[in-house]
């Protein structure tokens, strides 16, 4: 029963969402509304589970004094700080002037933004070291990147300003994005969608069971 | 990571201490007005450009000779290419792309009083690209008496929306407009569930957002009291940095419920949206910081998006230069090896 | 912005940037702070916005709000959410399969129809545009563009068909598909560079403008 009930749940819920697309009226429309509400609640519990699991792992690391346990202690302390402040401040926890808002603006935002910002350096370094026009396909990739990178900044039009407007960099970049890029993206999109449809059918029919894990 | 293989090891903490001291002097100095902000005029900017180009040429020569530039040198160049233009007073001409024009036309066609659903699906890392779009949109909306309903599928989204709103509403011209929360704009906040939030909104927005971000019940807000679902929304403007985002809005809201959708995306994901733009599922799109700059230009509000484009230009040129250097060296060394 | 807050933000920013030089304790402290603050941010937001705002107030609405007629259905959602949290306890963690199965089933059902409608049907319809336009009024650029999009989409799909060997005319068509895909990836790379640079510009603007005040 540990596997049968989940498979039954998957099948019923999946079929309801398929049917409601074509018959949005009662009862399928109502059932899909209920299921959407449940999804929202379960999704939030999944996030809470992730946060609590992280704390569980960090606490175990601190207790065992393994490796960089001091950093796990810092993680726990920061989690506790923002959680206590956020929960204590009530529904207005995001208002300007609250402790939570301060932590968001001056701790969370700078850290998360900088984490992604340093990728700029890595992308440049990787391009310098690895991006080689070894064959025709790689050259095509390189040229497309070249035209798009130059065409999407004003300097591209400055460099090609002597050409007719339709041949300037920005127009070339627009053409590349709207025509060959669209064609390639569309092929990928259709391929993924067809694969997704077949996987969804397998999941709903209970043929695909890997999401249940082992016994 | 490899340790720096320098012959003469400079005590790093001395360098760090000197930089910290300079930062303190600059911080105090600017606030006490000891010196003005740094501005590089046209002549100085040209000199800087020539110096950068010359040093890149020197790197090209060194790379051909077999001495590939160390990664920290590449990092330094990127840092310089991005930082120095922020001090320059050069201006650039921003040309409007068809996709941005289409989005603007879609907004311009809305009569005053139209209800616009602004969906904020991004977090602080994407703010340099999307926050200028958000600010430009709010200014345009308030100028043209569009009623804005803000929601977010990302938890940080509504907070980013509030940051943009607070900035816009503090400007003199909008203070004079006496815009009222709950009447001219409202922030319904965030709900989890990704595409299922959109699915639920298709039948009842109130059921998915029973209260706004401050806990005020939905029915107490005049702007949304009679907004039942997407059929009562005239237009949707989506700002997206990933999943859930524009694609989910297209999949669920556009094709199923007929929502009119314009979008602003980070540059990373905008390439995937072009098939939707071409098929008309998305009515125009703003792509990355370039899209933000074009949106500012077409709505006549020059702000950060435009200001940052000079740094963007420099950064792209440097990346292209490094790719070019790498390839020239590769082919030269390969040709030498074949002889 | 007050001085202390600016310096905290700046030092945290520089701590992360210091990783570019080499891994160091300052970076590790900033990383640990980021992990803890992020987890706490998401925890607090989901508790207030979803568990309280939707679930709790859906069952016990505050003054001025009306309870929905089928409010009791939220209890089933709450029950599933509770089962999800049981994953924290290894002995009874297996019950979390039920909400997991619910999520997988709901996603599979919704994706099946929406992806097929939006990403297959609408896209194919748009690819097969009339060659000379609806009223035979397409411009030369439009005719060329529509033809190229058709050829590119078709050959790209042929490339992804791995049930047949890529030889002969089929193989040549697949090769054309590869060319279109390379242009797509090149465009993606170009935009990725733009995106990453934009993020860096934002941070450097904060450091030199908001923090040090050196930019006009």
């Amino acid at each position: 029963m540990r596997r049968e009930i989940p498979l039954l749940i998957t099948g019923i819920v999946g079929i309801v969402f398929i049917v409601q697309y074509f018959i949005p009226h009662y009862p399928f429309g109502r059932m899909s509304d209920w299921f959407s509400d449940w999804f929202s609640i379960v999704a939030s519990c999944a996030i809470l589970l992730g946060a609590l699991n992280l704390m569980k792992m960090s606490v175990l690391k601190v207790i065992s004094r393994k490796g960089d346990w001091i950093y796990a202690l810092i993680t726990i302390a920061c989690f506790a700080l923002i959680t206590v402040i956020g929960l204590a401040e009530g529904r207005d926890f995001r208002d300007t002037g609250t402790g939570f808002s301060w932590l968001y603006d001056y701790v969370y935002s700078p850290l998360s933004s900088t984490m992604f910002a340093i990728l700029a350096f890595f992308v440049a370094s990787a391009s310098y070291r690895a991006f080689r026009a070894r064959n025709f396909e790689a050259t095509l990739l390189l040229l497309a990147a070249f035209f798009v990178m130059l065409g999407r900044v004003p300097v591209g039009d400055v460099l090609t300003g002597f050409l007719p407007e339709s041949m300037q960099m920005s127009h070339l970049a627009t053409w590349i994005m709207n025509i060959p890029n669209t064609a390639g993206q569309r092929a990928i999109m259709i391929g993924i969608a067809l694969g997704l449809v077949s996987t969804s059918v397998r999941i709903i029919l209970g043929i695909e069971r890997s999401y249940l894990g082992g016994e | 990571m490899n340790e720096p293989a320098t012959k003469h090891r400079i005590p790093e903490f001395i360098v760090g201490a000197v930089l910290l001291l300079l930062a303190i002097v600059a911080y105090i100095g600017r606030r006490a007005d000891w010196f003005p902000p740094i501005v590089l005029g046209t002549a100085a900017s040209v000199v800087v450009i020539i110096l950068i180009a010359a040093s890149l040429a020197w790197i090209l020569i060194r790379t051909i000779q077999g001495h590939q530039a160390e990664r920290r040198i590449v990092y330094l160049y990127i840092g310089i290419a991005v930082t120095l233009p922020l001090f320059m007073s050069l201006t650039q001409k921003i040309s409007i792309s068809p996709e941005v024009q289409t989005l603007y036309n879609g907004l311009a066609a809305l009569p005053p009083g139209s209800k616009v659903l602004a969906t904020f699906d991004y977090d602080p890392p994407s703010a340099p690209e999307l926050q200028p779009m958000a600010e430009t949109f709010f200014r345009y909306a308030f100028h043209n008496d569009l009623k804005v309903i803000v929601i977010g599928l990302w938890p940080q989204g509504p907070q980013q929306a509030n940051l943009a709103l607070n900035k816009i509403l503090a400007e003199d011209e909008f203070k004079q407009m006496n815009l009222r929360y709950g009447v001219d704009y409202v922030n319904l906040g965030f709900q989890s569930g990704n595409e299922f939030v959109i699915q639920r909104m298709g039948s009842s927005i109130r059921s998915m957002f029973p209260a706004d971000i401050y806990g005020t019940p939905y029915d107490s807000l005049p702007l949304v009291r009679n907004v039942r679902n997407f059929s009562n929304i005239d237009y949707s403007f989506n700002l997206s940095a990933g999943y859930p985002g524009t694609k989910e809005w297209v999949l669920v809201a556009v094709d199923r419920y007929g929502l009119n959708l314009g979008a602003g995306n980070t540059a990373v994901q905008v390439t995937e949206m072009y098939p939707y733009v071409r098929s008309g599922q998305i009515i125009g799109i703003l792509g990355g910081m370039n899209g933000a700059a074009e949106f500012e230009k077409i709505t006549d509000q020059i702000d950060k998006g435009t200001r940052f484009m000079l740094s963007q230009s420099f950064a792209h040129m440097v990346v292209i230069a490094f790719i070019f250097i790498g390839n020239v060296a590769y082919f030269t060394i390969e040709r030498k090896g074949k002889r | 912005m007050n001085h202390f807050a600016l310096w905290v933000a700046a030092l945290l920013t520089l701590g992360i940037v210091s990783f570019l030089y080499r891994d160091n304790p300052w970076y590790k402290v900033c990383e640990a702070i980021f992990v803890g603050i992020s987890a706490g941010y998401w925890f607090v937001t989901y508790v207030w916005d979803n568990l309280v705002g939707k679930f709790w107030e859906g069952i016990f609405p505050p003054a001025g709000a009306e309870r929905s007629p089928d409010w009791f259905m939220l209890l089933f959602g709450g029950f599933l959410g509770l089962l999800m949290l049981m994953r924290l306890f290894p002995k009874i963690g297996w019950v979390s399969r039920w909400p997991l199965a619910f999520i997988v089933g709901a996603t599979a059902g919704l994706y099946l129809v929406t992806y097929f409608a939006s990403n297959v049907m609408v896209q194919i319809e748009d690819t097969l545009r009339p060659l000379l336009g609806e009223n035979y009024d397409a411009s030369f650029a439009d005719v060329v563009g529509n033809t190229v999009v058709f050829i590119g989409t078709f050959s790209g799909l042929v490339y992804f068909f791995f049930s047949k060997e890529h030889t002969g005319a089929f193989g040549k068509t697949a090769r054309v598909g590869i060319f279109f895909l390379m242009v797509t990836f090149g465009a993606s790379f170009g935009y990725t560079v733009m995106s990453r640079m934009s993020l860096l510009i934002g941070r450097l603007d904060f450091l030199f403008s908001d923090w040090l005040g050196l930019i006009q």
Side-chain angles (χ1 to χ4, degrees):
Chain A
M1 292 304 280
R2 281 194 183 192
R3 293 180 79 85
E4 281 73 16
I5 292 178
L7 288 172
L8 198 63
I9 292 171
T10 303
I12 291 171
V13 174
I15 287 168
V16 164
F17 273 104
I18 294 170
V19 173
Q20 64 81 29
Y21 192 87
F22 303 101
I23 311 173
H25 312 292
Y26 184 87
F28 301 105
R30 187 76 69 86
M31 287 175 75
S32 78
D33 288 345
W34 293 336
F35 292 165
S36 297
D37 287 337
W38 297 0
F39 194 101
S40 180
I41 297 167
V42 173
S44 1
C45 290
I47 296 294
L48 300 186
L49 172 69
L52 292 172
N53 200 45
L54 170 69
M55 287 305 110
K56 181 178 150 189
M57 294 294 125
S58 299
V59 165
L60 289 173
K61 208 170 178 184
V62 171
I63 290 170
S64 65
R65 296 288 197 268
K66 266 190 196 160
D68 294 333
W69 64 270
I70 195 82
Y71 299 113
L73 191 63
I74 294 172
T75 300
I76 294 167
C78 292
F79 177 83
L81 175 73
I82 193 170
T83 305
V84 165
I85 289 174
L87 293 177
E89 277 170 345
R91 284 297 285 273
D92 299 331
F93 67 101
R94 269 178 291 231
D95 282 2
T96 311
T98 60
F100 187 90
S101 157
W102 191 97
L103 286 168
Y104 179 84
D105 291 336
Y106 301 116
V107 180
Y108 177 75
S109 282
L111 284 169
S112 59
S113 303
T114 315
M115 279 285 184
F116 283 87
I118 60 174
L119 291 174
F121 298 102
F122 301 140
V123 96
S125 175
S127 305
Y128 169 60
R129 279 165 205 291
F131 209 156
R132 301 285 181 261
R134 287 177 221 274
N135 51 39
F136 179 69
E137 286 86 352
T139 308
L140 208 54
L141 199 153
L142 198 57
L143 284 173
F146 171 79
F147 282 120
V148 167
M149 272 200 281
L150 272 189
R152 284 313 194 199
V153 288
V155 76
D157 281 348
V158 169
L159 293 173
T160 54
F162 61 93
L163 293 170
E165 200 181 328
S166 59
M167 294 189 67
Q168 287 177 10
M169 273 294 179
S170 58
H171 282 261
L172 280 173
T174 300
W175 187 85
I176 288 172
M177 294 307 296
N178 278 300
I179 307 296
N181 166 69
T182 297
Q185 290 288 353
R186 203 167 258 178
I188 295 168
M189 196 182 262
I190 294 170
I192 289 173
L194 292 173
L196 208 142
V197 164
S198 72
T199 307
S200 297
V201 169
R202 288 166 56 86
I203 287 172
I204 290 168
L205 292 179
I207 302 167
E208 178 67 53
R209 302 175 184 193
S210 55
Y211 62 93
L212 291 175
E215 189 51 57
Chain B
M1 281 231 167
N2 295 329
E3 293 298 310
T6 48
K7 284 183 184 172
H8 308 283
R9 196 171 177 85
I10 302 165
E12 289 148 349
F13 69 89
I14 291 180
V15 173
V18 167
L19 289 172
L20 183 63
L21 194 62
L22 283 171
I24 293 170
V25 168
Y27 185 86
I28 298 172
R30 281 295 302 129
R31 276 148 187 86
D33 239 350
W34 292 344
F35 50 86
I38 299 171
V39 177
L40 293 173
T42 309
S45 305
V46 170
V47 167
V48 164
I49 292 168
I50 291 170
L51 284 172
I52 293 174
S55 56
L56 283 170
W58 178 77
I59 290 181
L60 171 64
I61 293 165
R62 293 278 295 164
T63 309
I64 291 171
Q65 288 170 349
H67 305 287
Q68 205 173 37
E70 212 242 357
R71 63 184 164 82
R72 292 184 187 85
I73 300 293
V74 180
Y75 297 164
L76 186 65
Y77 269 88
I78 294 297
I80 290 169
V82 170
T83 307
L84 287 182
L86 293 172
F87 298 97
M88 292 179 184
S89 56
L90 299 174
T91 53
Q92 300 178 103
K93 182 174 163 255
I94 308 283
S95 52
I96 312 294
S97 57
E99 307 84 68
V100 173
Q101 185 68 54
T102 305
L103 184 136
Y104 177 77
N105 292 345
L107 277 174
L110 295 171
S114 296
K115 291 192 175 67
V116 178
L117 181 69
T119 57
F120 282 68
D121 303 334
Y122 67 96
D123 56 359
S126 307
E129 292 178 280
L130 300 178
Q131 202 73 1
M133 294 179 193
E135 291 166 9
T136 306
F137 166 75
F138 279 129
R139 285 198 191 95
Y140 179 87
F142 294 145
H143 267 308
N144 293 277
D145 195 26
L146 301 178
K147 308 300 180 187
V148 182
I149 304 166
V150 172
I151 69 155
L153 298 183
W154 291 38
Q156 304 92 335
Q159 212 154 345
Q160 292 298 127
N162 272 355
L163 283 172
L165 277 167
N166 290 342
K167 180 180 170 185
I168 303 308
L169 294 172
E171 291 172 6
D172 289 332
E173 70 173 300
F174 295 104
K175 271 188 195 165
Q176 287 165 15
M177 281 185 186
N178 288 319
L179 296 161
R180 288 168 296 164
Y181 181 85
V183 175
D184 298 297
Y185 66 98
V186 77
N187 191 338
L188 297 178
F190 155 76
Q191 280 295 334
S192 65
N194 305 330
E195 50 273 288
F196 291 89
V197 174
I198 308 170
Q199 166 80 5
R200 190 71 172 95
M201 289 170 71
S203 55
S204 167
I205 296 177
R206 185 198 172 282
S207 298
M208 189 43 83
F209 294 94
D212 73 352
I213 199 172
Y214 307 107
T216 310
Y218 188 90
D219 293 328
S220 304
L221 300 160
L223 176 57
V224 294
R225 193 178 289 147
N226 297 320
V227 175
R228 194 169 128 69
N229 51 40
F230 291 132
S231 59
N232 304 118
I233 299 288
D234 300 299
Y235 187 87
S236 181
F237 181 68
N238 169 249
L239 291 171
S240 162
Y243 172 82
T246 306
K247 188 159 99 171
E248 283 64 41
W249 281 97
V250 171
L251 288 172
V252 184
V254 171
D255 291 327
R256 174 99 192 269
Y257 297 105
L259 186 69
N260 294 322
L261 180 72
N265 280 198
T266 53
V268 157
Q269 72 164 40
V270 77
T271 53
E272 297 169 27
M273 299 299 139
Y274 270 83
Y276 294 131
V277 177
R278 188 169 169 82
S279 63
Q281 288 162 295
I282 300 176
I283 308 168
I285 196 161
L286 311 172
M289 191 172 276
N290 174 59
E294 291 179 31
F295 194 37
E296 285 176 3
K297 180 168 179 190
I298 205 169
T299 54
D300 270 326
Q301 322 166 31
I302 305 304
D303 203 342
K304 276 191 173 177
T306 308
R307 197 160 63 79
F308 290 164
M309 284 309 291
L310 188 62
S311 290
Q312 194 86 62
S313 294
F314 271 70
H316 283 206
M317 296 293 282
V318 169
V319 169
I320 289 170
F322 273 112
I323 293 173
F324 177 75
I325 290 169
N327 276 280
V328 165
Y330 168 73
F331 285 112
T332 313
I333 292 167
E334 199 184 79
R335 195 174 293 161
K336 275 187 195 164
K338 278 181 181 167
R339 279 196 204 138
Chain C
M1 289 190 198
N2 65 64
H3 302 294
F4 175 69
L6 269 179
W7 276 87
V8 165
L11 289 173
L12 290 173
T13 300
L14 292 171
I16 300 293
V17 170
S18 69
F19 182 74
L20 294 171
Y21 184 64
R22 63 188 168 107
D23 201 3
N24 59 83
W26 185 17
Y27 167 78
K28 283 185 176 150
V29 166
C30 292
E31 191 184 42
I33 294 172
F34 174 54
V35 171
I37 292 286
S38 291
Y41 173 86
W42 284 68
F43 188 92
V44 170
T45 309
Y46 276 76
V47 164
W48 281 120
D49 284 347
N50 299 105
L51 290 186
V52 172
K54 188 163 171 63
F55 176 67
W56 186 260
E57 290 182 357
I59 298 168
F60 304 106
E66 266 180 42
R67 188 151 51 184
S68 167
D70 43 9
W71 62 270
F72 51 90
M73 294 306 291
L74 287 172
L75 294 170
F76 290 97
F79 175 66
L80 283 174
L82 192 64
L83 292 183
M84 181 65 100
L85 290 172
M86 294 302 109
R87 206 169 175 86
L88 285 168
F89 311 105
K91 282 207 172 113
I92 51 169
W94 64 269
V95 296
S96 66
R97 284 181 185 178
W98 291 19
L100 203 62
F102 170 80
I103 286 178
V104 169
T107 308
L110 187 68
Y111 275 14
L112 194 155
V113 281
T114 54
Y115 266 79
F116 193 77
S118 296
N119 283 14
V120 178
M121 287 169 54
V122 174
Q123 296 301 317
I124 290 175
E125 183 191 350
D126 188 70
T127 304
L128 299 172
R129 287 187 187 180
L131 185 65
L132 300 174
E134 293 275 350
N135 302 310
Y136 302 96
D137 56 356
S139 66
F140 178 71
D142 285 343
V143 171
V144 169
N146 294 343
T147 309
V148 172
V149 168
F150 170 75
I151 292 170
T153 307
F154 179 73
S155 58
L157 284 169
V158 166
Y159 171 73
F160 285 124
F161 191 75
F162 297 118
S163 303
K164 182 177 167 18
E165 212 179 324
H166 288 184
T167 53
F170 192 83
K172 287 195 174 67
T173 311
R175 192 137 171 82
V176 171
I178 291 175
F179 297 156
F180 276 91
L181 290 170
M182 288 299 117
V183 173
T184 302
F185 297 144
S188 293
F189 172 78
Y191 264 95
T192 300
V193 169
M194 182 199 287
S195 192
R196 302 299 172 216
M197 293 300 161
S198 301
L199 308 189
L200 180 62
I201 291 167
R203 294 322 297 158
L204 290 173
D205 181 63
F206 162 74
L207 286 175
F208 288 102
S209 175
D210 298 328
W211 180 43
L212 297 178
L214 294 174
I215 297 175
Q216 195 169 41

